[in-house]
Amino acid sequence: MIRKGCPDEYPINLVVNGFEIAVFQLTNQDLEDWAYGYLYSEGLIDGADDVEAVHFYEGSGTLQVSLNNSFDPEQMFSKKKHYTAGCGRGVTFFSMTDVKQFERVQSQQVYDLSYLLKKRSEFAQNCPLYLESGGMHGACIVHEDGSIEVREDIGRHNAVDKIIGHALRKRLQTEQLVLLTTGRVSYEMLSKAAKFGFAVIGSRTAATKQAVQLARFLNIEVVGYLRGKMATVYTSAGRIRNDVTGPAAATKPIERGEVLPLFN
């Protein structure tokens, strides 16, 4: 495959109720979805109804958001910052200890491993920015009827925020949704999914030990290395039915007794 061009990234200044949050490096696409998803993931909004308006001023690269709720910037920035790992590195104000206060997922939905592998392949074929330039990340929601919705960005965290923002704006319920991502599932990626209530998260690559520990605590199923006929099921919430034969589909959970470090 010969790709044309390079992945795009732009400095986007996020301003909420007149207060400048930060400048983020983003792909200049689906920015309204990103704003909803980021603000929700960081606890600045509880849902789409908290957002009054979103305006993007391309000339200055400013994304201006007006909220209906009582946003307190001093309270937000009094929290300790945690810098996220990997490409498109950002900042989260939720520690692992904070995330462990989220509600545990109660979904009883069960998925065949072959179904997740099929949807991961379909997801890969519906990432136009990646197919054009490479070097992009994507996030995907799989609906109950099998249809998918994809968002892309230079950063894996941004892509997940975009798809969560889309789900918020469309008032989607998480009980029958699966989240797929191209990026590594680290604790802050898991926290974004946990806050929205996804019961199953799948990735084409690995999950960290901290993310798996957190997923087990919150009753979330995490499946990594979804490639071809290969997969690693890190958790044992009972939502994945292994209908793929052979060692490539083996389940390899981390030992439950293993003591893992926590972020404070």
Side-chain angles (χ1 to χ4, degrees), residues 22 51 62 65 74 104 130 151 180:
V51 179
T62 299
V65 182
E74 291 186 5
R104 291 171 59 95
Y130 175 81
R151 293 293 183 270
L180 300 178

Side-chain angles (χ1 to χ4, degrees), residues 74-131:
E74 291 186 5
Q75 182 179 9
M76 175 183 179
F77 288 103
S78 65
K79 296 180 180 180
K80 184 177 179 180
K81 296 180 181 179
H82 295 264
Y83 289 93
T84 59
C87 67
R89 190 178 75 164
V91 174
T92 180
F93 293 92
F94 280 124
S95 70
M96 185 179 282
T97 302
D98 294 328
V99 180
K100 290 180 77 171
Q101 305 305 312
F102 292 173
E103 292 185 11
R104 291 171 59 95
V105 175
Q106 302 299 324
S107 172
Q108 301 301 313
Q109 185 71 22
V110 177
Y111 298 92
D112 287 338
L113 187 56
S114 62
Y115 177 78
L116 295 183
L117 288 164
K118 178 182 177 182
K119 289 302 163 184
R120 167 68 189 107
S121 177
E122 186 179 338
F123 170 27
Q125 296 304 313
N126 285 274
C127 292
L129 297 181
Y130 175 81
L131 294 173

Side-chain angles (χ1 to χ4, degrees), residues 204-259:
R204 70 176 296 277
T205 185
T208 67
K209 288 185 177 181
Q210 286 81 4
V212 172
Q213 182 191 37
L214 189 57
R216 284 181 173 161
F217 185 83
L218 295 174
N219 198 33
I220 297 170
E221 202 81 87
V222 178
V223 186
Y225 293 110
L226 281 165
R227 306 176 186 179
K229 292 184 178 181
M230 173 182 176
T232 298
V233 183
Y234 290 100
T235 48
S236 52
R239 298 192 185 96
I240 306 300
R241 183 186 298 114
N242 186 359
D243 63 335
V244 180
T245 59
T251 300
K252 301 176 182 177
I254 295 174
E255 293 298 325
R256 286 188 178 274
E258 192 169 1
V259 179

